Amino acid sequence: MSFENTKTKKILVVHGPNLNLLGMREPDIYGSETLDDINRNLIQLAGKVGVKLEACQSNAEAELVNRIQLTMSDGTNFIIINPAAFTHTSVALRDALAAVKVPFIEIHLSNVFSRESFRKKSYFSDLAVGVISGLGAKGYVLALEYALTSR
Ligand code: DQA
């Protein structure tokens, strides 16, 4: 990637519950890449254009809320988030993102619209800059490309 005029300086990638099991967890649905593989690639891509990228994962809603709240004061100017199962349940995480007002992209490895009907409901999509669903780990890379060119 070559982004001469990178506006975004600090990106936070947030992974929700069970994504620590990527690689082992239902690989037919979520792919064979581990979370470390995904994060390493994103950190490397961002680093090439001098952008700091931090990735975090938690199975606990409160920890994710606390981490998102920190973006009010830590200089984060873009969030890439896969809320995982919290996509379909968490008003608390939605409210945290609404409160901090940091633009974010919602990511899903699988196509949530082609699965069980409860996965079609997201508490995030209407607040998101955009949503990428069904492109596997490539979705994170595409979101990063967007973040690097956004103001
Ligand atoms: C997911 C889809 C969610 O429905 C599910 O609960 C996940 C992962 C995805 O990346 O495809 O844990 O967000």
Side-chain angles (χ1 to χ4, degrees):
M1 279 189 283
S2 150
F3 294 100
E4 302 271 316
N5 293 313
T6 297
K7 300 282 192 302
T8 300
K9 296 287 188 276
K10 191 168 175 198
I11 297 173
L12 177 67
V13 181
V14 180
H15 305 281
N18 299 306
L19 295 175
N20 54 313
L21 299 180
L22 284 181
M24 295 180 290
R25 175 194 183 201
E26 301 176 274
D28 46 319
I29 297 176
Y30 298 116
S32 56
E33 279 190 65
T34 67
L35 196 62
D36 275 354
D37 294 335
I38 290 171
N39 288 338
R40 213 176 305 115
N41 187 35
L42 295 175
I43 289 166
Q44 196 187 25
L45 290 170
K48 276 186 191 162
V49 289
V51 170
K52 274 193 203 148
L53 184 145
E54 179 194 326
C56 64
Q57 187 278 332
S58 180
N59 296 325
E61 191 176 33
E63 278 185 25
L64 296 168
V65 168
N66 287 339
R67 183 62 195 90
I68 288 165
Q69 285 187 7
L70 279 181
T71 63
M72 287 178 101
S73 56
D74 75 355
T76 298
N77 36 29
F78 206 96
I79 297 173
I80 296 169
I81 182 166
N82 183 345
F86 290 143
T87 307
H88 321 297
T89 64
S90 182
V91 177
L93 264 183
R94 174 196 169 89
D95 285 353
L97 286 161
V100 300
K101 291 193 167 64
V102 175
F104 71 92
I105 292 180
E106 175 186 347
I107 294 283
H108 301 286
L109 293 146
S110 65
N111 180 351
V112 288
F113 300 100
S114 67
R115 301 180 62 194
E116 301 96 323
S117 61
F118 66 83
R119 293 187 204 276
K120 293 186 173 74
K121 163 78 185 162
S122 167
Y123 279 95
F124 300 85
S125 301
D126 62 309
L127 297 181
V129 175
V131 181
I132 300 175
S133 182
L135 304 184
K138 180 90 202 268
Y140 288 96
V141 175
L142 296 172
L144 175 58
E145 286 185 14
Y146 182 90
L148 291 175
T149 52
S150 73
R151 282 158 196 280

